[in-house]
Amino acid sequence: MIQTIERAGRNALFSSVERFALTAEDQSGLGKMLNEQGRKAVFQQAEQWNKETKRVRNKLRFGTKQIQLAAATFLLIIVSVFLIRMLIKNSGPEQLVAEFFSPFPGIGLVKAGNNGDNAKDSLRSLAAQYYSAEDWENAILQYNALNDGTPDSLSLFFLGNSYLATGDYELAGRSLELFRPMAAVYNLSDPSNWYLALAYLGQQDVEKASKLLDELAQKQTAYGRLAGQLIVEIAADRPALE
């Protein structure tokens, strides 16, 4: 009886141990499976993070290139504007003459030169029409015809203006120099000096131009104010004028 009970107890113990062992084995397998899935999940997450990191890095790299390109473009614009301003600022004598020159409106004064010579009166009238229309080439032809032989004093002034308008500064200077001693007779001393200064400036004779401009700038007149402005511009453009 006792042996029977002991045998039954041993069988029950072995059965429990066996069940426990199987359970532990199952648990170990489940742990391995879970560990394997966990590792795969971790690897997948790491790979996803790596891909995302690369994507963000490429995006940042592309954004950096865009920023660099924008910065380079902006710098190029700034340099271009600076160079353009330098070119405009150091424009040279011809540009200054073009900016400050405006032909003297003197058609009435041309007619005032009437001296009873019908041939010359006709030339003066025709020259005045061309001058008023800013037809400089024909005006020059008529004014030169007036000065063929004995100089026609007043026409020299308008001839000088016409030459200035065409950019022939040397001939403009010659005509205005001839007129200058007679300028006071026609009350044109200041305009005569102003246009002669522009002719000198166009010839890049800054010294002669500045001397006349300094004299004009001392006067409280329209030409005096213009002379003062031109003096400032000449000083600013001195490197281009030398």
Side-chain angles (χ1 to χ4, degrees):
M1 183 67 175
I2 293 173
Q3 291 177 351
T4 300
I5 294 172
E6 288 179 350
R7 191 180 297 112
R10 285 195 300 272
N11 291 336
L13 177 62
F14 290 151
S15 177
S16 297
V17 170
E18 186 178 3
R19 285 198 300 272
F20 177 79
L22 289 172
T23 301
E25 184 178 355
D26 291 341
Q27 289 176 351
S28 176
L30 179 62
K32 288 180 180 180
M33 181 182 69
L34 291 175
N35 287 340
E36 184 66 25
Q37 291 179 349
R39 283 194 297 271
K40 288 182 178 179
V42 170
F43 290 151
Q44 289 176 354
Q45 186 65 40
E47 185 177 358
Q48 182 65 27
W49 286 345
N50 187 39
K51 290 180 179 179
E52 183 66 18
T53 301
K54 288 182 178 180
R55 186 183 68 81
V56 173
R57 187 177 299 165
N58 291 334
K59 186 176 182 180
L60 290 174
R61 187 180 296 114
F62 179 72
T64 301
K65 289 181 179 179
Q66 285 185 319
I67 293 173
Q68 291 174 345
L69 180 61
T73 303
F74 180 73
L75 181 61
L76 181 60
I77 292 173
I78 293 297
V79 172
S80 299
V81 170
F82 177 77
L83 290 176
I84 290 172
R85 291 186 65 183
M86 287 293 294
L87 289 173
I88 293 175
K89 192 63 180 174
N90 294 327
S91 51
E94 292 189 6
Q95 181 64 31
L96 285 178
V97 174
E99 289 177 3
F100 280 86
F101 172 72
S102 180
F104 188 87
I107 186 170
L109 287 174
V110 175
K111 291 180 178 179
N114 192 325
N115 60 5
D117 187 331
N118 291 332
K120 284 202 170 186
D121 287 345
S122 296
L123 287 175
R124 290 191 188 96
S125 178
L126 186 57
Q129 292 177 30
Y130 286 133
Y131 184 92
S132 180
E134 297 187 357
D135 185 347
W136 307 118
E137 292 184 2
N138 282 316
I140 288 170
L141 287 174
Q142 300 306 317
Y143 285 130
N144 277 324
L146 278 168
N147 288 280
D148 185 15
T150 304
D152 187 80
S153 57
L154 191 56
S155 67
L156 289 170
F157 176 72
F158 295 103
L159 179 59
N161 270 262
S162 300
Y163 277 129
L164 276 173
T166 62
D168 194 334
Y169 303 121
E170 184 176 354
L171 291 179
R174 291 180 186 176
S175 300
L176 292 167
E177 284 174 345
L178 289 172
F179 174 73
R180 193 182 180 203
M182 301 172 282
V185 176
Y186 299 96
N187 196 28
L188 290 173
S189 294
D190 285 357
S192 174
N193 288 335
W194 168 251
Y195 290 112
L196 183 55
L198 291 180
Y200 286 148
L201 186 59
Q203 297 175 53
Q204 301 192 37
D205 194 337
V206 181
E207 185 177 353
K208 285 185 178 180
S210 297
K211 184 177 180 180
L212 290 174
L213 292 172
D214 287 339
E215 293 177 5
L216 283 172
Q218 302 302 317
K219 301 179 180 181
Q220 299 298 320
T221 64
Y223 289 103
R225 289 188 290 273
L226 282 173
Q229 294 173 13
L230 184 51
I231 289 171
V232 172
E233 292 297 326
I234 289 175
D237 282 7
R238 179 68 66 172
L241 296 173
E242 291 179 347

